[in-house]
Amino acid sequence: APIISIRNLTKTYSNGFQALKGIDLDVEKGEILALLGPNGAGKTTMISIVCGITNPSTGTVTVGGHDVVREFRATRTMIGLVPQELTTDQFETVWNTVSFSRGLHGKKPNPAHIERVLRDLSLWDKRDNMLRQLSGGMKRRVLIAKALSHEPEILFLDEPTAGVDVTLRKDMWHVVERLRASGVTIILTTHYIEEAEEIADRVGVINDGKLLLVEEKKTLMAKL
Ligand code: ADP
Ligand code: ADP
């Protein structure tokens, strides 16, 4: 069974704006899916619904077979969300930031897991540094480490490379590529076609609240 299943999903915000107009999508365990689309297409709305942060207007979303609205707690612990901006205390250390995030997700401390995450993201040597001492690229890695702190099966990355330079973008692609090996299912949003091409197995194109197509990367690139 797919790890994420979305059926007839619509979202109309309270001001009457229809951000999603009927989305159907299955995501298989272990795949990397890129959601490609311009600003305002509905990407963040869709992610927020799957994460249980926003309620759908109609339709159903299941994560690991659980309904994201009725079984919020069960589905939320399965998901790690990497937001666009670092909102964490800049005067806290990397180690404490990531360990504390695990606690916020209701998990018991597991220093061995935190160590593994920090090593995988090449943050181990920086663990006692304060966030304010880190470069932009290292701060982005901390966001990912926080999202992996509670051992989620699914990782959402919302515009992971928006507004970063080419070097940092390639660095992030490399990080995502390495995460694949750990078996985490990865869904990222982007408006860079090269990004979708570089790291995804499948690409979904979203525009004006509709999923125009979802294809294997190879098939899609042949069409463009
Ligand atoms: P994307 O992530 O693709 O840029 P969003 O999901 O953030 O798109 O937004 C889709 C559309 O929904 C945009 O036109 C945005 O202005 C609108 N929107 C987002 N949040 C709200 C809200 N809380 N109330 C009304 N409209 C919203
Ligand atoms: P608390 O303040 O909640 O007691 P600690 O800071 O003592 O938490 O850390 C809890 C666990 O994490 C301990 O097992 C400790 O050894 C480990 N730990 C703390 N800081 C580091 C670090 N910089 N590198 C590796 N392990 C650490």
Side-chain angles (χ1 to χ4, degrees):
I3 193 161
I4 299 173
S5 189
I6 301 176
R7 290 289 174 275
N8 300 314
L9 178 64
T10 74
K11 175 65 183 180
T12 304
Y13 283 109
S14 51
N15 65 357
F17 183 82
Q18 196 176 10
L20 297 178
K21 302 177 177 173
I23 304 274
D24 291 282
L25 177 67
D26 284 332
V27 181
E28 300 300 326
K29 189 170 165 47
E31 78 168 321
I32 302 184
L33 173 73
L35 294 172
L36 183 66
N39 281 328
K43 303 184 297 295
T44 303
T45 301
M46 188 172 140
I47 286 187
S48 305
I49 292 171
V50 178
C51 292
I53 296 165
T54 301
N55 278 328
S57 299
T58 64
T60 55
V61 179
T62 60
V63 171
H66 299 283
D67 185 273
V68 295
V69 179
R70 285 182 288 108
E71 299 167 275
F72 168 73
R73 280 175 194 286
T75 60
R76 189 63 186 91
T77 53
M78 291 178 67
I79 296 172
L81 174 61
V82 183
Q84 288 186 30
E85 297 293 329
L86 187 76
T87 51
T88 313
D89 183 357
Q90 296 282 315
F91 290 88
E92 194 51 271
T93 66
V94 170
W95 177 274
N96 287 346
T97 300
V98 178
S99 312
F100 186 58
S101 175
R102 182 181 172 90
L104 288 180
H105 285 91
K107 290 266 181 129
K108 292 203 180 80
N110 183 346
H113 174 69
I114 303 298
E115 174 170 348
R116 204 175 314 127
V117 167
L118 295 182
R119 285 193 187 280
D120 284 351
L121 291 163
S122 307
L123 285 168
W124 182 244
D125 294 344
K126 307 278 185 200
R127 64 190 179 279
D128 293 323
N129 287 45
M130 283 189 269
L131 299 189
R132 61 188 290 273
Q133 298 170 307
L134 303 181
S135 67
M138 286 293 165
K139 283 181 186 163
R140 295 233 171 199
R141 286 167 186 253
V142 172
L143 284 175
I144 298 177
K146 281 179 70 182
L148 292 171
S149 65
H150 61 293
E151 297 162 77
E153 293 173 52
I154 303 163
L155 187 66
F156 282 99
L157 297 130
D158 195 7
E159 302 266 358
T161 65
V164 308
D165 67 27
V166 178
T167 313
L168 188 46
R169 180 164 303 146
K170 294 209 165 134
D171 185 53
M172 288 300 294
W173 292 351
H174 188 60
V175 167
V176 172
E177 188 56 48
R178 289 214 319 267
L179 288 175
R180 175 203 294 275
S182 61
V184 182
T185 304
I186 299 174
I187 298 166
L188 64 114
T189 66
T190 184
H191 50 258
Y192 300 111
I193 190 145
E194 321 85 89
E195 185 153 288
E197 184 178 12
E198 185 71 25
I199 54 186
D201 302 313
R202 268 199 313 159
V203 181
V205 178
I206 299 193
N207 193 32
D208 191 25
K210 284 173 286 210
L211 194 53
L212 300 183
L213 56 93
V214 189
E215 300 222 27
E216 297 291 318
K217 180 173 63 184
K218 280 176 274 178
T219 320
L220 177 67
M221 293 309 153
K223 285 186 182 175
L224 293 174

